[in-house]
Amino acid sequence: QMAVCTDGELEFLRSQRLGRLATASKAGQPDVSAVGFAVSGDTIVSGGIDLTKTIRYRHLLENPQATIVIDDLVSVDPWQPRGVKVRGPATLEDDGGRPRIRIRPQVVWSWGINTGAQKRFASIERRRVS
C-alpha cells in the first residue's frame, strides 16, 4: 500500500493550522467551514467548539463523506500557491468527551509541493489511495 501523503505534503500539512472542510446533506446541499485540523497517522482529524451544533456535523450524520482543502500562498510574485486536498469517508468519533471528525483519504490532490511530480492538469497532481 502506498503512503497516503508524501513527506513534502506531510511537512506542509503539519505547518498549517486552518483548512476548509466541505460536506453535503443527504439531498446534496453543500456546506464549507473553516476548521482547525491535525494529521493523525494516515488520516486528518478536525474538532471544533460545539461541533454537534454545526451544519458539518449534521451533514456527516446523514452523508459521511468529506473533502478538506489546506492551502497557502508561498509568494505572490511569482504566483506560487501550494496546497493539499483530501476526499474520503468521514467518521464522527469521541475524543475524551468531545466529538471530532476523522477523514480517511481516498483521493489526494496536491499542488506546489512535490517537485517533479506528474501533473494531472495545470500544476495539480492527483492520486487514489487504496
Side-chain angles (χ1 to χ4, degrees):
Q1 166 171 341
M2 66 176 290
V4 170
C5 289
T6 66
D7 290 345
E9 289 163 356
L10 284 173
E11 184 180 340
F12 167 74
L13 289 171
R14 290 186 180 121
S15 76
Q16 301 296 306
R17 294 289 173 264
L18 287 177
R20 281 158 291 287
L21 180 68
T23 57
S25 70
K26 198 170 188 173
Q29 178 68 43
D31 184 68
V32 65
S33 305
V35 298
F37 75 95
V39 175
S40 173
D42 279 343
T43 66
I44 293 179
V45 294
S46 176
I49 299 167
D50 291 336
L51 183 63
T52 59
K53 297 176 182 168
T54 63
I55 293 172
R56 65 187 178 274
Y57 184 87
R58 291 196 303 274
H59 278 180
L60 291 172
L61 285 174
E62 53 187 53
N63 182 7
Q65 295 286 324
T67 300
I68 189 166
V69 173
I70 299 102
D71 64 334
D72 70 1
L73 263 178
V74 177
S75 161
V76 176
D77 186 14
W79 186 253
Q80 201 178 343
R82 65 179 175 169
V84 174
K85 178 168 85 168
V86 169
R87 184 174 69 205
T91 51
L92 296 165
E93 57 185 35
D94 185 282
D95 177 28
R98 293 186 60 187
R100 72 177 170 193
I101 298 161
R102 182 179 299 271
I103 303 167
R104 300 192 181 282
Q106 283 183 329
V107 185
V108 178
W109 294 260
S110 74
W111 53 97
I113 296 172
N114 301 316
T115 52
Q118 181 182 348
K119 308 300 185 223
R120 185 170 176 82
F121 67 91
S123 60
I124 300 175
E125 58 183 281
R126 175 188 189 270
R127 63 187 176 278
R128 183 167 281 284
V129 178
S130 54

